[in-house]
Amino acid sequence: MDIENLLQELNESQRKAVEYNDGPSLVIAGAGSGKTRVLTYKIAYLLNLGLPPHNILSLTFTNKAAREMKARVGQLMGESVARRLWMGTFHSIFSRILRTEAEKIGFTSNFTIFDSADSRNLIKTIIKEYQLDDKTYKPARIQAMISNAKNALVSPVAYAQSKEMQEYDMKAKIPMVRDIYRSYNARLQASNTMDFDDLLYYTNRLFRDHPEVLKTYQDRFQFILVDEYQDTNFAQYLVVKQLADAHHRVCVVGDDAQSIYSFRGANIDNILNYKSNYPEARIFKLEQNYRSTQNIVNAANSLIKQNKGQIQKNVFSENQVGEKLEVASAFSDFEEGIIVANKIQDLRRSKDSSYSDFVILYRTNAQSRVFEESLRKKNIPYRIYGGLSFYQRKEIKDVIAYFRMVVNPKDEEAFKRIINYPTRGIGNTTVGKIVDTAQLHNLSLWETIGDPLAHNLNVNTGTAKKLNDFHTLIDGFIKELPVASAYELATKIVKESGIAREAYQDQTPEGMSRQENLQELLGGIHEFCESRLEEGEQNIGLIDFLSEVSLLSDQDTDKEVEQEKVTMMTIHASKGLEFKNVFVVGLEEDLFPSSMTKSEPKGLEEERRLFYVAITRAEQFCMLTYAKSRFRNGQTNSCNPSRFLKDIDREFLNANAGVLEGTMGGFSQQTQGNFWDTVRRNREEKEELQEVKRKEESIFERPQIPVSREDKYSKPNFVNARNAEPKTPLTKDIYGIQVGAVIKHERFGIGTVSAIEGDAASRKATVEFENAGVKQLLLKFARFDIIG
DNA sequence: ATCCACTAGGTTTTT
DNA sequence: CCTAGTGGAT
């Protein structure tokens, strides 16, 4: 595409931001101001200047963001160019670097990655080994402390030496944290594993301790772009700084008003103080909001004004003035659900909207339940994002643990997970002995069972045989690793480990669903191999699959709005999305803002930014609701409306009399299991149910779109939903390809698209190639250019 | 070693 | 309301 045409699609400030590339720059991108557009066009611009794609590094926070950006650059500049960009999450790019340089930091390239559950388990074991009380040393808390330390690049040694930290721990009566931290890190290293934070931490160490390595990467990454810069933590900030030190060609994009991840170590000062780090930096502000009505933008502005210490900006909209934000109060959380469901139904009829134009946003996942009920009763189809993701389910984690064990036999948590799964008569007592022996001889658990006699492992002959069988089993898989494809080996593992047999014996509904999940996982691996093959790669082994899935997260699941379904998600998960109609629910003190954050002003400001993010998702209509009583933790509590409601200028709100009264002041009293509440609740529920029954009895009103509970769980990107909806043929597609298009594939040559199907994450095109016959291409992976 | 039943404790957000 | 973890019985 011609670069001049491209620049014409930008407004003045966007274009200036795109065109300036002589030094560091900071782009402050207000909500809905075309941030992604600036990033992608900038990359296109750089490519057009002649910078090769492999010299551009572009960092994001989610795989999804990276994928989308890649696709958009692909549309502008061609797939084959986009493919060569270094574009990905901090974690995935760094893990790639660390694998090549693993030996320099005391790991080997096949290191595996602990998820947070693994980390917590290891911390738990260590706390036990130190014979500490896990009520004083709460694993979750220790985990957070260690994570913070790593994100601040504080090593275990530095931690122990830091006067400040030691004093804090003494005061908190947890002086052993430093020892736990030390052991934890040692154990990770001994088992050749890294936790998420390590990926950032060790990249920093690598660059600090090996200037020649740093130099290589500085030379490679001639231009660096960072998305969502307000969410970077110290470790991320410093890596970027080190990489950019040589040439200062770095562009960071973000919005301080949307910084909502400080609990994960994100430091808003990185963006606020950018100028002092790069005094010569140019700052560009994108202030025109193209997404929302003026009322929505103004309401959001009036809210965020209450925060101190922001980058001065004037976000404005030239769209319609639009409706005011509607505020509603409900007697109970239950009624809140009904109000929202009714409103959705009304709006859908009056505005002729689709269900997919609606989103319900809440502070905590637990709130989704009531809305599930109220929507279901009205036969409104919905989809929930978040909650347990596919890879967090037990049966999937078990299989993945086998994979990890085969790729990296030293992986301690993987070992513990599968040593007795499926049950093979090796219980806690034996595992305890193995752990003790391993520690004594400074070995991994795997090495210990490899030669029990030599290490005086004190088990009876029966157990020794069982251990030996296990060792032989895994060893067999390990031997296959270099020769078998990921799919072949995965299938073999599921079969021969006995997982398949166990799953088939279980005929309960849960058992059946587990079988399906296993099938789905294998199907996903198959697809993964196929698509990589299509890309021209060879020998796609288990290790390739594993390194990809370990860094997938809920945020990466396809959030593309599904046809005709209301969306529900946490506000955090909604970042970057937009909807015509937004419902922000549960606006109550101690829920939003959460009681956990209220102790310090910083926490409160972050909650306010979260609310800002929620409101600015809306294009046309936004409703804010709260309940006067809420069922939580098994009891009904009365609650007060959120103070945030008062932060919005009244002129942008449409609230019935009394709705905004009672904000602040007074304490929430606990009305334990209020009798009348329960009575009313039951009655309401009954009435609603009768209503539903009546409808169901009338054939004509039978709902057309069933709500599937399965949708509750997010699916991994490359795994096709087993019981996916009937595939509706699509004519045009986000990848810019359509039926009838002529494409040029890297390997198959020229062909014509004859069909497109599947949902965005796993969308496939059937292509009739001139010379290569008919092929199915997974659009996400396939490498081709559209030529006609 | 395994399975079941009961209890106590905690529920913010998640790369 | 959930769930993870424990203790007892087999």
CSV table of all heavy atoms in Angstrom, one decimal, chain A residues 61 264 363 420 429-430 553 555 596 633, chain B residues 1-3 9-15:
chain,number,residue,atom,x,y,z
A,61,PHE,N,1.2,-6.9,25.9
A,61,PHE,CA,1.0,-7.6,27.1
A,61,PHE,C,0.2,-8.9,26.9
A,61,PHE,O,0.4,-9.8,27.7
A,61,PHE,CB,0.3,-6.7,28.1
A,61,PHE,CG,1.2,-5.9,28.9
A,61,PHE,CD1,1.7,-4.7,28.3
A,61,PHE,CD2,1.7,-6.3,30.1
A,61,PHE,CE1,2.6,-3.9,29.0
A,61,PHE,CE2,2.6,-5.6,30.8
A,61,PHE,CZ,3.1,-4.4,30.2
A,264,ARG,N,0.0,-6.2,39.9
A,264,ARG,CA,1.0,-7.2,39.3
A,264,ARG,C,2.3,-6.5,39.1
A,264,ARG,O,3.2,-7.0,38.4
A,264,ARG,CB,0.4,-7.6,38.0
A,264,ARG,CG,0.5,-9.1,37.8
A,264,ARG,CD,-0.2,-9.5,36.5
A,264,ARG,NE,0.1,-8.7,35.4
A,264,ARG,CZ,-0.7,-8.5,34.4
A,264,ARG,NH1,-1.8,-9.2,34.3
A,264,ARG,NH2,-0.4,-7.7,33.4
A,363,ARG,N,-16.7,-6.1,38.8
A,363,ARG,CA,-15.4,-6.0,39.4
A,363,ARG,C,-14.8,-7.4,39.7
A,363,ARG,O,-13.6,-7.7,39.5
A,363,ARG,CB,-15.5,-5.2,40.7
A,363,ARG,CG,-14.3,-5.1,41.6
A,363,ARG,CD,-13.3,-4.2,40.9
A,363,ARG,NE,-12.0,-4.9,40.7
A,363,ARG,CZ,-11.0,-4.8,41.5
A,363,ARG,NH1,-11.0,-4.0,42.5
A,363,ARG,NH2,-9.9,-5.5,41.2
A,420,ASN,N,1.9,-40.1,40.7
A,420,ASN,CA,0.8,-41.1,41.1
A,420,ASN,C,-0.5,-40.8,40.4
A,420,ASN,O,-1.6,-41.0,40.9
A,420,ASN,CB,0.6,-41.0,42.6
A,420,ASN,CG,-0.1,-42.2,43.1
A,420,ASN,OD1,0.0,-43.3,42.5
A,420,ASN,ND2,-0.9,-42.1,44.2
A,429,THR,N,3.8,-41.0,51.3
A,429,THR,CA,5.0,-41.5,52.0
A,429,THR,C,6.2,-41.7,51.1
A,429,THR,O,7.3,-41.2,51.4
A,429,THR,CB,4.6,-42.8,52.7
A,429,THR,OG1,3.3,-42.8,53.1
A,429,THR,CG2,5.5,-43.1,53.9
A,430,THR,N,6.0,-42.4,50.0
A,430,THR,CA,7.1,-42.6,49.1
A,430,THR,C,7.6,-41.3,48.5
A,430,THR,O,8.8,-41.1,48.5
A,430,THR,CB,6.6,-43.6,48.0
A,430,THR,OG1,5.9,-44.7,48.5
A,430,THR,CG2,7.7,-44.0,47.1
A,553,SER,N,-2.7,-17.3,28.1
A,553,SER,CA,-3.5,-16.9,29.3
A,553,SER,C,-4.9,-16.6,28.9
A,553,SER,O,-5.2,-16.5,27.8
A,553,SER,CB,-2.9,-15.6,29.9
A,553,SER,OG,-3.2,-14.6,29.1
A,555,GLN,N,-6.4,-13.9,29.0
A,555,GLN,CA,-6.5,-12.7,28.2
A,555,GLN,C,-6.3,-12.9,26.7
A,555,GLN,O,-6.7,-12.1,25.9
A,555,GLN,CB,-5.4,-11.7,28.7
A,555,GLN,CG,-5.7,-11.1,30.0
A,555,GLN,CD,-6.8,-10.1,30.0
A,555,GLN,OE1,-6.7,-9.1,29.4
A,555,GLN,NE2,-7.9,-10.5,30.6
A,596,MET,N,-10.3,-4.3,49.6
A,596,MET,CA,-8.9,-4.6,49.7
A,596,MET,C,-8.0,-3.4,49.3
A,596,MET,O,-6.9,-3.3,49.7
A,596,MET,CB,-8.5,-5.7,48.7
A,596,MET,CG,-9.4,-6.9,48.6
A,596,MET,SD,-9.4,-7.9,50.1
A,596,MET,CE,-7.8,-8.7,49.8
A,633,ASN,N,-20.4,-14.5,50.2
A,633,ASN,CA,-19.8,-15.4,51.2
A,633,ASN,C,-20.9,-16.1,52.0
A,633,ASN,O,-20.8,-16.2,53.2
A,633,ASN,CB,-18.9,-14.6,52.2
A,633,ASN,CG,-17.8,-13.9,51.5
A,633,ASN,OD1,-17.5,-14.1,50.3
A,633,ASN,ND2,-17.1,-13.0,52.2
B,1,DA,P,2.2,-45.3,50.7
B,1,DA,OP1,3.0,-45.2,49.5
B,1,DA,OP2,1.9,-44.0,51.4
B,1,DA,O5',0.8,-45.9,50.2
B,1,DA,C5',0.7,-46.8,49.1
B,1,DA,C4',-0.6,-46.8,48.5
B,1,DA,O4',-1.6,-47.1,49.6
B,1,DA,C3',-1.1,-45.5,47.9
B,1,DA,O3',-1.9,-45.8,46.8
B,1,DA,C2',-1.9,-44.8,49.0
B,1,DA,C1',-2.5,-46.1,49.7
B,1,DA,N9,-2.8,-46.0,51.1
B,1,DA,C8,-1.9,-45.4,52.1
B,1,DA,N7,-2.4,-45.5,53.3
B,1,DA,C5,-3.7,-46.1,53.2
B,1,DA,C6,-4.7,-46.5,54.0
B,1,DA,N6,-4.6,-46.2,55.4
B,1,DA,N1,-5.8,-47.1,53.6
B,1,DA,C2,-5.9,-47.3,52.2
B,1,DA,N3,-5.0,-47.0,51.3
B,1,DA,C4,-3.9,-46.4,51.8
B,2,DT,P,-2.6,-44.8,46.0
B,2,DT,OP1,-2.6,-45.2,44.6
B,2,DT,OP2,-2.0,-43.4,46.3
B,2,DT,O5',-4.1,-44.8,46.5
B,2,DT,C5',-4.8,-46.0,46.6
B,2,DT,C4',-6.2,-45.8,47.0
B,2,DT,O4',-6.3,-45.7,48.4
B,2,DT,C3',-6.8,-44.5,46.4
B,2,DT,O3',-8.1,-44.8,45.9
B,2,DT,C2',-6.9,-43.6,47.6
B,2,DT,C1',-7.1,-44.6,48.7
B,2,DT,N1,-6.6,-44.1,50.1
B,2,DT,C2,-7.4,-44.5,51.2
B,2,DT,O2,-8.4,-45.1,51.1
B,2,DT,N3,-6.9,-44.0,52.4
B,2,DT,C4,-5.7,-43.3,52.6
B,2,DT,O4,-5.4,-42.9,53.7
B,2,DT,C5,-5.0,-42.9,51.4
B,2,DT,C7,-3.8,-42.1,51.5
B,2,DT,C6,-5.5,-43.4,50.2
B,3,DC,P,-8.9,-43.9,45.0
B,3,DC,OP1,-9.0,-44.5,43.7
B,3,DC,OP2,-8.3,-42.5,45.1
B,3,DC,O5',-10.3,-43.8,45.7
B,3,DC,C5',-10.8,-44.9,46.5
B,3,DC,C4',-11.7,-44.4,47.6
B,3,DC,O4',-10.9,-44.0,48.7
B,3,DC,C3',-12.4,-43.1,47.2
B,3,DC,O3',-13.8,-43.3,47.4
B,3,DC,C2',-11.9,-42.0,48.1
B,3,DC,C1',-11.4,-42.8,49.3
B,3,DC,N1,-10.3,-42.1,50.0
B,3,DC,C2,-10.3,-42.1,51.4
B,3,DC,O2,-11.2,-42.7,52.0
B,3,DC,N3,-9.3,-41.5,52.1
B,3,DC,C4,-8.3,-40.9,51.4
B,3,DC,N4,-7.4,-40.3,52.1
B,3,DC,C5,-8.3,-40.9,50.0
B,3,DC,C6,-9.3,-41.5,49.3
B,9,DG,P,-10.2,-21.5,60.4
B,9,DG,OP1,-9.2,-21.6,61.5
B,9,DG,OP2,-11.5,-20.8,60.6
B,9,DG,O5',-9.5,-20.9,59.2
B,9,DG,C5',-9.0,-21.7,58.1
B,9,DG,C4',-9.3,-21.0,56.8
B,9,DG,O4',-10.5,-21.5,56.2
B,9,DG,C3',-9.5,-19.5,56.9
B,9,DG,O3',-8.5,-18.8,56.2
B,9,DG,C2',-10.9,-19.2,56.4
B,9,DG,C1',-11.2,-20.5,55.6
B,9,DG,N9,-12.6,-20.8,55.7
B,9,DG,C8,-13.5,-20.9,56.8
B,9,DG,N7,-14.7,-21.3,56.5
B,9,DG,C5,-14.6,-21.5,55.1
B,9,DG,C6,-15.7,-21.9,54.2
B,9,DG,O6,-16.8,-22.2,54.4
B,9,DG,N1,-15.2,-22.0,52.9
B,9,DG,C2,-13.9,-21.7,52.5
B,9,DG,N2,-13.6,-21.8,51.2
B,9,DG,N3,-12.9,-21.3,53.3
B,9,DG,C4,-13.4,-21.2,54.6
B,10,DG,P,-8.4,-17.3,56.1
B,10,DG,OP1,-7.0,-17.0,56.0
B,10,DG,OP2,-9.3,-16.6,57.1
B,10,DG,O5',-9.1,-17.1,54.6
B,10,DG,C5',-8.9,-18.2,53.7
B,10,DG,C4',-9.2,-17.7,52.3
B,10,DG,O4',-10.6,-18.1,52.0
B,10,DG,C3',-9.3,-16.2,52.1
B,10,DG,O3',-9.1,-16.0,50.8
B,10,DG,C2',-10.7,-15.8,52.5
B,10,DG,C1',-11.5,-17.0,51.9
B,10,DG,N9,-12.6,-17.4,52.7
B,10,DG,C8,-12.8,-17.3,54.1
B,10,DG,N7,-14.0,-17.8,54.5
B,10,DG,C5,-14.6,-18.2,53.3
B,10,DG,C6,-15.9,-18.7,53.1
B,10,DG,O6,-16.7,-19.0,54.0
B,10,DG,N1,-16.2,-19.0,51.8
B,10,DG,C2,-15.3,-18.7,50.7
B,10,DG,N2,-15.7,-19.1,49.5
B,10,DG,N3,-14.1,-18.2,50.9
B,10,DG,C4,-13.8,-18.0,52.2
B,11,DT,P,-8.2,-15.1,50.0
B,11,DT,OP1,-7.2,-16.1,49.6
B,11,DT,OP2,-8.0,-13.8,50.7
B,11,DT,O5',-9.2,-14.8,48.8
B,11,DT,C5',-10.3,-14.0,49.2
B,11,DT,C4',-11.1,-14.0,48.0
B,11,DT,O4',-11.9,-15.2,48.0
B,11,DT,C3',-12.2,-12.9,48.0
B,11,DT,O3',-11.6,-11.6,47.8
B,11,DT,C2',-13.2,-13.4,47.1
B,11,DT,C1',-13.2,-14.9,47.5
B,11,DT,N1,-14.2,-15.1,48.6
B,11,DT,C2,-15.4,-15.7,48.2
B,11,DT,O2,-15.7,-16.0,47.1
B,11,DT,N3,-16.3,-15.9,49.3
B,11,DT,C4,-16.1,-15.6,50.6
B,11,DT,O4,-17.0,-15.8,51.4
B,11,DT,C5,-14.8,-15.0,50.9
B,11,DT,C7,-14.5,-14.5,52.3
B,11,DT,C6,-14.0,-14.8,49.9
B,12,DT,P,-10.3,-11.6,46.9
B,12,DT,OP1,-10.9,-12.8,46.4
B,12,DT,OP2,-8.8,-11.6,47.4
B,12,DT,O5',-10.3,-10.4,45.9
B,12,DT,C5',-11.5,-9.7,45.7
B,12,DT,C4',-11.6,-9.6,44.2
B,12,DT,O4',-11.1,-8.3,43.9
B,12,DT,C3',-10.8,-10.5,43.3
B,12,DT,O3',-11.6,-10.8,42.2
B,12,DT,C2',-9.5,-9.8,43.0
B,12,DT,C1',-9.8,-8.4,43.3
B,12,DT,N1,-8.8,-7.8,44.2
B,12,DT,C2,-8.5,-6.5,44.0
B,12,DT,O2,-9.1,-5.7,43.2
B,12,DT,N3,-7.6,-6.0,44.9
B,12,DT,C4,-6.9,-6.7,45.9
B,12,DT,O4,-6.1,-6.2,46.6
B,12,DT,C5,-7.3,-8.1,45.9
B,12,DT,C7,-6.6,-9.0,47.0
B,12,DT,C6,-8.2,-8.6,45.1
B,13,DT,P,-11.1,-11.8,41.1
B,13,DT,OP1,-12.3,-12.2,40.4
B,13,DT,OP2,-10.2,-12.8,41.6
B,13,DT,O5',-10.2,-10.8,40.3
B,13,DT,C5',-10.8,-10.2,39.1
B,13,DT,C4',-9.8,-9.2,38.6
B,13,DT,O4',-9.3,-8.4,39.7
B,13,DT,C3',-8.6,-9.8,37.9
B,13,DT,O3',-8.9,-9.9,36.6
B,13,DT,C2',-7.5,-8.8,38.2
B,13,DT,C1',-8.1,-7.9,39.3
B,13,DT,N1,-7.2,-7.9,40.5
B,13,DT,C2,-6.9,-6.7,41.1
B,13,DT,O2,-7.3,-5.7,40.6
B,13,DT,N3,-6.1,-6.8,42.2
B,13,DT,C4,-5.6,-7.9,42.8
B,13,DT,O4,-4.9,-7.8,43.8
B,13,DT,C5,-6.0,-9.1,42.1
B,13,DT,C7,-5.5,-10.4,42.7
B,13,DT,C6,-6.8,-9.1,41.0
B,14,DT,P,-8.8,-11.3,35.9
B,14,DT,OP1,-9.5,-11.3,34.7
B,14,DT,OP2,-9.1,-12.4,37.0
B,14,DT,O5',-7.2,-11.4,35.6
B,14,DT,C5',-6.6,-10.6,34.6
B,14,DT,C4',-5.2,-10.9,34.6
B,14,DT,O4',-4.6,-10.8,35.9
B,14,DT,C3',-4.8,-12.3,34.1
B,14,DT,O3',-3.7,-12.3,33.3
B,14,DT,C2',-4.5,-13.1,35.4
B,14,DT,C1',-3.9,-12.0,36.2
B,14,DT,N1,-4.0,-12.2,37.7
B,14,DT,C2,-3.0,-12.1,38.5
B,14,DT,O2,-1.9,-11.7,38.0
B,14,DT,N3,-3.2,-12.3,39.8
B,14,DT,C4,-4.4,-12.6,40.4
B,14,DT,O4,-4.5,-12.8,41.6
B,14,DT,C5,-5.5,-12.7,39.5
B,14,DT,C7,-6.9,-13.1,40.0
B,14,DT,C6,-5.3,-12.5,38.2
B,15,DT,P,-3.6,-13.2,32.0
B,15,DT,OP1,-4.7,-12.8,31.2
B,15,DT,OP2,-3.4,-14.6,32.4
B,15,DT,O5',-2.3,-12.6,31.4
B,15,DT,C5',-2.2,-11.2,31.0
B,15,DT,C4',-0.7,-10.8,31.0
B,15,DT,O4',-0.2,-10.9,32.3
B,15,DT,C3',0.2,-11.7,30.2
B,15,DT,O3',1.1,-10.8,29.5
B,15,DT,C2',1.0,-12.5,31.2
B,15,DT,C1',1.0,-11.6,32.4
B,15,DT,N1,1.0,-12.2,33.7
B,15,DT,C2,2.0,-11.9,34.6
B,15,DT,O2,2.9,-11.2,34.3
B,15,DT,N3,2.0,-12.6,35.8
B,15,DT,C4,1.0,-13.5,36.2
B,15,DT,O4,1.1,-14.0,37.3
B,15,DT,C5,0.0,-13.7,35.2
B,15,DT,C7,-1.1,-14.7,35.6
B,15,DT,C6,0.0,-13.1,34.1
